[in-house]
Amino acid sequence: MNIGLLARIEAKPEYADRVEAMLRDALQLAREEEHTVTWFAFRESATTFGVFDTFEEEEGRSAHLQGRIAAALMEAAETMLSSAPDIRPVDLLAAKLP
């Protein structure tokens, strides 16, 4: 796992619980993605969420960005989010995993 994505998601207050549920449900989709090595969804505050995932190569990261989770997130952006998700590619420097 050499590369990743870090996404910050800001929900409209009235949709925060639905965004949380959407991210929890997305775990199954992430498990089905062949090239997604790790996938984490988290909550920073009442309305701020995030996703961090890792991949072995650029093809996996690109496939993820074209996948079902990204599509659901972009669809939600129209109604449930305060703004478009801030999705940034990252290079991994070090990791500790079980």
Side-chain angles (χ1 to χ4, degrees), residues 9 20 27 31 34 43 45-46 53 57 63 72 76-77 83-84 86 89:
I9 303 157
E20 178 181 337
L27 176 59
R31 287 180 174 150
E34 179 180 353
R43 188 175 202 159
S45 69
D53 31 29
E57 73 287 316
S83 60
D86 179 11

Side-chain angles (χ1 to χ4, degrees), residues 36-50:
T36 300
V37 178
T38 61
W39 187 89
F40 303 89
F42 56 91
R43 188 175 202 159
E44 279 185 55
S45 69
T47 59
T48 304
F49 299 86

Side-chain angles (χ1 to χ4, degrees), residues 15-94:
Y15 289 106
D17 290 341
R18 288 180 60 189
V19 171
E20 178 181 337
M22 179 183 67
L23 290 173
R24 287 180 186 276
D25 292 344
L27 176 59
Q28 184 55 42
L29 296 175
R31 287 180 174 150
E32 294 171 6
E33 292 183 347
E34 179 180 353
H35 299 289
T36 300
V37 178
T38 61
W39 187 89
F40 303 89
F42 56 91
R43 188 175 202 159
E44 279 185 55
S45 69
T47 59
T48 304
F49 299 86
V51 175
F52 174 70
D53 31 29
T54 65
F55 313 90
E56 292 292 342
E57 73 287 316
E58 185 58 44
E59 293 79 13
R61 180 162 62 185
S62 295
H64 179 74
L65 287 170
Q66 302 300 318
R68 292 169 59 195
I69 296 171
L73 194 54
M74 292 313 199
E75 184 178 319
E78 295 179 23
T79 56
M80 294 192 289
L81 305 183
S82 298
S83 60
D86 179 11
I87 302 172
R88 299 174 186 220
V90 296
D91 294 328
L92 299 179
L93 303 178

